[in-house]
Protein backbone atom coordinates (compact mmCIF):
# COMPACT_ATOMS: atom_id res chain seq x y z
CA UNK A 1 0.00 0.00 0.00
CA UNK A 2 1.43 3.38 -1.05
CA UNK A 3 2.20 5.92 1.67
CA UNK A 4 -0.11 8.94 1.65
CA UNK A 5 1.87 12.11 2.18
CA UNK A 6 0.20 14.89 4.15
CA UNK A 7 2.05 18.09 5.05
CA UNK A 8 -1.03 20.08 6.06
CA UNK A 9 -0.63 19.30 9.78
CA UNK A 10 2.70 21.15 9.85
CA UNK A 11 0.92 24.50 9.65
CA UNK A 12 -0.24 24.23 13.26
CA UNK A 13 3.41 23.87 14.31
CA UNK A 14 4.60 26.90 12.34
CA UNK A 15 5.73 28.70 15.51
CA UNK A 16 7.96 25.79 16.56
CA UNK A 17 9.39 25.55 13.06
CA UNK A 18 10.05 29.31 12.97
CA UNK A 19 11.79 29.21 16.36
CA UNK A 20 13.93 26.28 15.23
CA UNK A 21 14.90 28.06 12.01
CA UNK A 22 15.81 31.23 13.94
CA UNK A 23 17.96 29.27 16.39
CA UNK A 24 19.71 27.51 13.51
CA UNK A 25 20.41 30.72 11.59
CA UNK A 26 21.26 32.65 14.76
CA UNK A 27 23.78 30.07 15.97
CA UNK A 28 25.34 29.95 12.52
CA UNK A 29 25.82 33.73 12.40
CA UNK A 30 27.06 34.07 15.98
CA UNK A 31 29.48 31.14 15.89
CA UNK A 32 30.76 32.15 12.45
CA UNK A 33 31.54 35.67 13.70
CA UNK A 34 33.08 34.51 16.99
CA UNK A 35 34.95 31.66 15.29
CA UNK A 36 36.31 34.05 12.67
CA UNK A 37 37.47 36.47 15.37
CA UNK A 38 39.20 33.75 17.42
CA UNK A 39 40.62 32.12 14.30
CA UNK A 40 41.97 35.44 13.07
CA UNK A 41 43.79 36.03 16.35
CA UNK A 42 45.24 32.53 16.25
CA UNK A 43 46.39 32.94 12.65
CA UNK A 44 48.11 36.26 13.39
CA UNK A 45 49.71 34.85 16.55
CA UNK A 46 51.16 31.97 14.53
CA UNK A 47 52.92 34.45 12.25
CA UNK A 48 55.24 35.25 15.15
CA UNK A 49 56.99 31.88 14.61
CA UNK A 50 57.71 31.60 18.33
CA UNK A 51 57.55 27.96 19.41
CA UNK A 52 56.18 28.87 22.84
CA UNK A 53 53.17 30.37 21.04
CA UNK A 54 52.79 28.30 17.90
CA UNK A 55 53.03 24.82 19.46
CA UNK A 56 50.05 25.28 21.85
CA UNK A 57 48.05 26.94 19.06
CA UNK A 58 48.84 24.11 16.64
CA UNK A 59 47.78 21.61 19.31
CA UNK A 60 44.49 23.47 19.77
CA UNK A 61 43.86 23.49 16.01
CA UNK A 62 44.60 19.80 15.55
CA UNK A 63 42.50 18.75 18.55
CA UNK A 64 39.41 20.51 17.24
CA UNK A 65 40.02 19.62 13.59
CA UNK A 66 40.61 15.93 14.32
CA UNK A 67 37.71 15.21 16.69
CA UNK A 68 34.00 15.05 15.77
CA UNK A 69 31.85 18.08 16.56
CA UNK A 70 29.37 15.85 18.38
CA UNK A 71 32.08 14.64 20.76
CA UNK A 72 33.17 18.24 21.37
CA UNK A 73 29.60 19.31 22.14
CA UNK A 74 29.07 16.50 24.64
CA UNK A 75 32.49 16.95 26.26
CA UNK A 76 32.13 20.70 26.71
CA UNK A 77 28.62 20.34 28.11
CA UNK A 78 29.32 17.47 30.53
CA UNK A 79 33.06 17.45 31.23
CA UNK A 80 34.12 21.10 31.08
CA UNK A 81 31.82 22.19 33.95
CA UNK A 82 33.50 19.59 36.18
CA UNK A 83 36.93 20.99 35.36
CA UNK A 84 36.07 24.68 35.77
CA UNK A 85 33.42 24.31 38.46
CA UNK A 86 30.82 26.31 36.55
CA UNK A 87 27.60 24.84 35.20
CA UNK A 88 26.99 25.59 31.54
CA UNK A 89 23.61 25.99 29.91
CA UNK A 90 23.08 23.91 26.76
CA UNK A 91 23.08 26.98 24.51
CA UNK A 92 26.30 28.27 26.11
CA UNK A 93 28.06 24.92 25.72
CA UNK A 94 26.90 24.70 22.11
CA UNK A 95 28.14 28.24 21.40
CA UNK A 96 31.58 27.48 22.89
CA UNK A 97 31.92 24.20 21.01
CA UNK A 98 30.91 25.55 17.60
CA UNK A 99 33.01 28.69 18.09
CA UNK A 100 36.18 26.74 18.90
CA UNK A 101 35.53 24.18 16.18
CA UNK A 102 35.01 26.93 13.61
CA UNK A 103 38.02 28.87 14.90
CA UNK A 104 40.34 25.92 14.25
CA UNK A 105 39.35 25.89 10.57
CA UNK A 106 39.10 29.66 10.16
CA UNK A 107 42.61 30.01 11.62
CA UNK A 108 44.10 27.69 9.00
CA UNK A 109 42.19 29.39 6.18
CA UNK A 110 43.43 32.82 7.25
CA UNK A 111 46.99 31.63 7.89
CA UNK A 112 47.08 29.89 4.52
CA UNK A 113 45.76 33.01 2.77
CA UNK A 114 48.38 35.21 4.40
CA UNK A 115 51.17 32.71 3.73
CA UNK A 116 50.20 32.54 0.05
CA UNK A 117 51.32 36.12 -0.55
CA UNK A 118 54.73 36.19 -2.21
CA UNK A 119 57.57 36.71 0.27
CA UNK A 120 59.01 39.37 -2.02
CA UNK A 121 56.13 41.70 -1.20
CA UNK A 122 56.83 41.30 2.52
CA UNK A 123 60.52 42.08 1.98
CA UNK A 124 59.77 45.09 -0.22
CA UNK A 125 57.38 46.57 2.34
CA UNK A 126 59.91 46.06 5.14
CA UNK A 127 62.60 47.68 3.00
CA UNK A 128 60.38 50.76 2.79
CA UNK A 129 60.29 50.86 6.58
CA UNK A 130 56.71 49.65 6.90
CA UNK A 131 55.81 48.15 10.29
CA UNK A 132 54.22 44.72 10.66
CA UNK A 133 50.74 46.08 11.36
CA UNK A 134 50.77 48.43 8.40
CA UNK A 135 52.28 45.71 6.21
CA UNK A 136 49.41 43.35 6.99
CA UNK A 137 46.73 46.03 6.68
CA UNK A 138 47.89 47.69 3.45
CA UNK A 139 49.75 45.03 1.50
CA UNK A 140 49.05 41.46 2.62
CA UNK A 141 45.45 41.28 3.85
CA UNK A 142 43.80 43.02 0.84
CA UNK A 143 45.35 40.41 -1.46
CA UNK A 144 44.94 37.45 0.90
CA UNK A 145 41.28 38.26 1.56
CA UNK A 146 40.37 37.60 -2.06
CA UNK A 147 41.86 34.12 -1.78
CA UNK A 148 40.30 33.44 1.61
CA UNK A 149 36.68 34.38 0.82
CA UNK A 150 35.60 31.15 -0.97
CA UNK A 151 36.92 28.76 1.73
CA UNK A 152 35.56 31.07 4.45
CA UNK A 153 32.09 30.91 2.89
CA UNK A 154 32.40 27.12 2.63
CA UNK A 155 33.28 26.97 6.33
CA UNK A 156 30.19 29.02 7.18
CA UNK A 157 28.16 26.45 5.25
CA UNK A 158 29.70 23.73 7.40
CA UNK A 159 28.91 25.75 10.52
CA UNK A 160 25.26 25.82 9.52
CA UNK A 161 25.23 22.07 8.89
CA UNK A 162 26.81 21.45 12.28
CA UNK A 163 23.95 23.25 14.04
CA UNK A 164 21.87 20.13 13.37
CA UNK A 165 23.88 18.50 16.18
CA UNK A 166 22.66 20.99 18.77
CA UNK A 167 19.58 18.88 19.34
CA UNK A 168 21.64 16.42 21.43
CA UNK A 169 21.93 19.18 24.07
CA UNK A 170 18.21 20.03 23.81
CA UNK A 171 18.95 23.37 22.16
CA UNK A 172 15.71 24.20 20.30
CA UNK A 173 17.20 24.28 16.82
CA UNK A 174 15.39 23.13 13.70
CA UNK A 175 16.13 19.42 14.18
CA UNK A 176 15.16 19.48 17.86
CA UNK A 177 11.83 21.11 17.05
CA UNK A 178 11.33 18.49 14.37
CA UNK A 179 11.83 15.77 16.96
CA UNK A 180 9.17 17.38 19.16
CA UNK A 181 6.72 17.56 16.27
CA UNK A 182 7.44 13.95 15.31
CA UNK A 183 6.82 12.72 18.86
CA UNK A 184 3.45 14.52 18.85
CA UNK A 185 2.27 13.52 15.36
CA UNK A 186 4.07 10.23 14.59
CA UNK A 187 4.72 11.48 11.06
CA UNK A 188 8.50 11.52 10.72
CA UNK A 189 8.55 11.38 6.91
CA UNK A 190 6.78 14.70 6.48
CA UNK A 191 8.59 16.36 9.37
CA UNK A 192 12.12 15.43 8.36
CA UNK A 193 11.39 16.11 4.70
CA UNK A 194 10.28 19.60 5.73
CA UNK A 195 13.48 20.06 7.76
CA UNK A 196 15.62 18.94 4.82
CA UNK A 197 13.83 21.40 2.52
CA UNK A 198 14.38 24.28 4.95
CA UNK A 199 18.09 23.45 5.26
CA UNK A 200 18.34 23.32 1.47
CA UNK A 201 16.62 26.70 1.10
CA UNK A 202 19.09 28.23 3.56
CA UNK A 203 22.22 26.47 2.29
CA UNK A 204 21.77 26.55 -1.48
CA UNK A 205 22.30 30.34 -1.83
CA UNK A 206 25.46 30.10 0.31
CA UNK A 207 26.94 27.24 -1.70
CA UNK A 208 26.04 29.03 -4.94
CA UNK A 209 27.78 32.16 -3.62
CA UNK A 210 30.89 30.15 -2.75
CA UNK A 211 31.06 28.58 -6.22
CA UNK A 212 30.51 31.96 -7.86
CA UNK A 213 33.34 33.53 -5.85
CA UNK A 214 35.67 30.67 -6.72
CA UNK A 215 34.94 31.08 -10.46
CA UNK A 216 35.35 34.86 -10.31
CA UNK A 217 38.66 34.68 -8.46
CA UNK A 218 39.90 31.96 -10.80
CA UNK A 219 39.44 34.38 -13.70
Amino acid sequence: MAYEWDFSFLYQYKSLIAIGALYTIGFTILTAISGLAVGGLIAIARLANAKAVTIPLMAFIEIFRCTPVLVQLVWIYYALPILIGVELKPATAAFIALTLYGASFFAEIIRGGIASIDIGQWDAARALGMRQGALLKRIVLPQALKRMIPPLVNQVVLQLKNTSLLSVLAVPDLLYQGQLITSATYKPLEVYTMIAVIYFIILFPLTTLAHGLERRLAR
Side-chain angles (χ1 to χ4, degrees):
M1 185 175 180
Y3 183 79
E4 295 183 3
W5 294 82
D6 179 20
F7 292 92
S8 60
F9 71 94
L10 292 172
Y11 183 77
Q12 61 183 306
Y13 296 100
K14 60 182 182 298
S15 60
L16 285 179
I17 297 169
I19 291 172
L22 288 175
Y23 263 87
T24 295
I25 296 172
F27 260 91
T28 301
I29 294 173
L30 290 175
T31 58
I33 293 173
S34 58
L36 187 59
V38 175
L41 292 175
I42 292 173
I44 293 174
R46 289 191 61 189
L47 294 176
N49 290 326
K51 289 186 177 181
V53 176
T54 57
I55 291 177
L57 292 179
M58 290 175 62
F60 162 83
I61 290 171
E62 294 305 322
I63 287 172
F64 278 90
R65 279 162 54 97
C66 299
T67 55
V69 184
L70 181 58
V71 174
Q72 296 169 18
L73 283 166
V74 173
W75 191 90
I76 289 176
Y77 182 60
Y78 290 105
L80 185 60
I82 298 175
L83 297 178
I84 64 177
V86 177
E87 184 177 355
L88 296 177
K89 295 181 179 179
T92 303
F95 175 78
I96 294 173
L98 290 184
T99 294
L100 296 180
Y101 174 82
S104 65
F105 285 89
F106 285 130
E108 286 299 280
I109 292 170
I110 296 171
R111 185 196 63 79
I114 293 174
S116 69
I117 304 303
D118 187 82
I119 190 65
Q121 297 193 42
W122 294 76
D123 294 338
R126 293 191 182 102
L128 294 173
M130 191 173 291
R131 295 184 177 181
Q132 186 78 355
L135 168 59
L136 287 171
K137 182 179 179 181
R138 297 181 181 180
I139 306 297
V140 176
L141 288 180
Q143 299 179 73
L145 187 60
K146 294 180 180 180
R147 304 177 184 182
M148 290 188 287
I149 287 177
L152 288 176
V153 174
N154 283 326
Q155 184 57 39
V156 172
V157 170
L158 291 177
Q159 288 288 102
L160 196 151
K161 291 181 179 180
N162 288 333
T163 59
S164 63
L165 299 173
L166 301 182
S167 58
V168 300
L169 301 184
V171 176
D173 71 315
L174 193 56
L175 184 59
Y176 181 79
Q177 302 292 33
Q179 292 171 349
L180 294 181
I181 298 172
T182 299
S183 64
T185 62
Y186 299 101
K187 292 187 176 182
L189 293 181
E190 288 88 346
V191 172
Y192 292 118
T193 299
M194 175 268 301
I195 291 173
V197 170
I198 293 176
Y199 268 108
F200 179 82
I201 292 172
I202 297 172
L203 283 168
F204 183 71
L206 286 175
T207 55
T208 302
L209 174 63
H211 293 323
L213 290 172
E214 288 176 356
R215 287 193 298 268
R216 172 178 288 186
L217 294 175
R219 293 196 298 268

